[in-house]
Amino acid sequence: QVQLVESGGGLVQAGGSLRLSCAASGRTFIGSYMAWFRQAPGKEREFVAAMRMTVNFYADSVKGRFTISRDNAKNTVYLQMNSLKPEDTANYYCAAGGMIYNRGSDYTYWGQGTQVTVSS
C-alpha cells in the first residue's frame, strides 16, 4: 500500500522559512514526478513545484523562493520555502506518480496535507 505522509507545516511570520517533508512508502517514484500542490480556502488547488530525476519545475508565484529536492535513499521529497508571504497560506499536499508535472488530475497518490499559515 502506497502512502505519502507530509510534515513540517506551521505558523510563520512573513519573510520566514519552513521546510515541508513528504515521506513515501510502498513504492519508489524514480521515473515519475513527485510534486507539491496547495489549496487555500475558497480557491482551487494549484501547482507549486515538481521534480523528476534532476528536472525541477516551479509555479511562477514561488520561483526563486521555494526549492524542491529529493532524497532517494529516504524516498522523501522536500519543499524548502523561503521569503514566505501571506498569500502562501494554504494546505500543502504532496503528490506522486504523475507524468504531467503540473496537472493534479494526473497524479495517482496524494498525502493528507499539511497547513502552512503565514502571518503579516
Side-chain angles (χ1 to χ4, degrees):
Q1 182 179 359
V2 176
Q3 279 192 315
L4 303 178
V5 179
E6 301 106 330
S7 60
L11 173 64
V12 64
Q13 288 190 330
S17 298
L18 283 174
R19 188 177 82 153
L20 306 183
S21 300
C22 172
S25 60
R27 60 162 287 186
T28 59
F29 299 94
I30 301 299
S32 58
Y33 285 104
M34 294 190 75
W36 292 93
F37 289 78
R38 66 187 182 187
Q39 187 167 21
K43 294 188 177 181
E44 293 188 354
R45 181 178 62 195
E46 65 175 354
F47 167 75
V48 176
M51 70 180 303
R52 183 177 69 178
M53 302 292 190
T54 59
V55 180
N56 299 341
F57 295 97
Y58 296 94
D60 288 343
S61 59
V62 306
K63 203 170 292 183
R65 299 188 297 122
F66 291 11
T67 302
I68 189 170
S69 61
R70 191 166 175 170
D71 185 334
N72 289 327
K74 295 182 178 180
N75 209 16
T76 297
V77 66
Y78 304 96
L79 185 69
Q80 178 66 43
M81 306 185 294
N82 298 329
S83 302
L84 282 161
K85 305 175 181 180
E87 52 263 44
D88 294 319
T89 295
N91 207 2
Y92 283 70
Y93 296 90
C94 175
M99 298 305 290
I100 299 174
Y101 71 90
N102 61 348
R103 184 184 294 177
S105 59
D106 200 62
Y107 285 81
T108 305
Y109 305 103
W110 291 84
Q112 80 287 353
T114 185
Q115 178 67 35
V116 171
T117 303
V118 184
S119 63
S120 56

